[in-house]
Amino acid sequence: MTAETTRIEAFSDGVFAIAITLLILEVKVPPPGSGELSLALARQWPSYLSFLISFAFIGIMWINHHRLFTHIARSDNVLLILNLLLLLGVIVVPFPTAVLATHLGGTNQRVALILYNSTYVFIAIVFNLLWRYASSDKRHLLAKDVDVASVQRISRQYALGPVFYLVCLALSWLSAAASLALNFALACFFALPPNLVAANKNRAGQYRRE
């Protein structure tokens, strides 16, 4: 964090915190008269699943946002706008999460999944735009002592995001389970530091050559 990006990060942290907190509001307490409490709680499994996936997603977005700003040392108006667009996507996440929790397993499940995955496609695209803009040699927004290899690893990892979230979106028409499973797998993938992903790829390449 630098003096020039401190306010961006502080404001962004606040938005992430609010968005991740709002998720739990969609996990309702079964009202009296709902029958056996244990069964009523069990029937709310779509809410639990949606909450956990979205919690993981927002948490990992926050981790990645933090990683980016360990490299970004300066800002300009375009970077501020791109960061606001990213936060727009983040703060919207509780809404499609609530829609999915309500309709998962029902007749409108596909529409709920399309809305849910479309939100993540938007976020993945904006994340890439933010990083590509900041890391452009023409902008000079990165720290002077930034590790070029780290920048390249982040760029390669992030480039996969829009592609795979579009796959999640396509799976909305075919299989809810597959779409949500891929969402969770992507959350785990983007939780990994880019250097660890690169190291695993290098080891895999060595094994193939052997």
Side-chain angles (χ1 to χ4, degrees):
M1 182 183 293
T2 66
E4 192 168 342
T5 61
T6 298
R7 291 189 66 191
I8 298 174
E9 294 176 76
F11 179 74
S12 300
D13 286 348
V15 173
F16 277 106
I18 291 169
I20 207 167
T21 302
L22 290 175
L23 294 174
I24 195 61
L25 298 181
E26 294 308 318
V27 180
K28 308 294 186 183
V29 176
S34 300
E36 179 65 35
L37 180 59
S38 59
L39 294 177
L41 289 170
R43 284 195 295 269
Q44 294 191 157
W45 68 266
S47 295
Y48 308 145
L49 180 62
S50 301
F51 167 76
L52 289 173
I53 292 176
S54 296
F55 183 92
F57 188 86
I58 292 178
I60 290 161
M61 279 196 294
W62 175 78
I63 291 171
N64 279 275
H65 190 270
H66 172 71
R67 285 177 186 156
L68 295 192
F69 277 88
T70 61
H71 298 295
I72 299 171
R74 287 167 290 279
S75 65
D76 62 14
N77 287 333
V78 175
L79 185 75
L80 291 173
I81 291 170
L82 290 173
N83 192 67
L84 282 174
L85 283 175
L86 176 62
L87 297 179
L88 171 64
V90 171
I91 206 68
V92 163
V93 166
F95 173 67
T97 299
V99 173
L100 183 63
T102 302
H103 295 285
L104 188 61
T107 56
N108 292 310
Q109 172 179 271
R110 181 182 298 172
V111 176
L113 274 168
I114 290 170
L115 175 63
Y116 188 77
N117 286 314
S118 296
T119 303
Y120 289 165
V121 169
F122 171 79
I123 292 171
I125 291 172
V126 177
F127 238 124
N128 270 272
L129 290 174
L130 173 65
W131 175 244
R132 298 285 176 177
Y133 180 83
S135 61
S136 170
D137 293 336
K138 298 178 182 179
R139 313 299 174 193
H140 304 293
L141 299 182
L142 299 185
K144 293 180 180 179
D145 59 348
V146 69
D147 179 27
V148 176
S150 294
V151 172
Q152 293 173 343
R153 284 193 293 266
I154 292 173
S155 297
R156 286 195 296 269
Q157 186 183 30
Y158 281 18
L160 299 174
V163 176
F164 281 108
Y165 281 111
L166 281 171
V167 174
C168 288
L169 180 59
L171 286 172
S172 301
W173 277 270
L174 302 174
S175 169
S179 180
L180 291 174
L182 182 55
N183 263 292
F184 186 75
L186 286 171
C188 294
F189 173 73
F190 285 110
L192 298 174
N195 59 337
L196 181 59
V197 175
N200 288 336
K201 286 183 178 179
N202 291 337
R203 281 197 293 269
Q206 290 174 357
Y207 291 147
R208 284 195 294 269
R209 286 194 294 272
E210 292 172 359

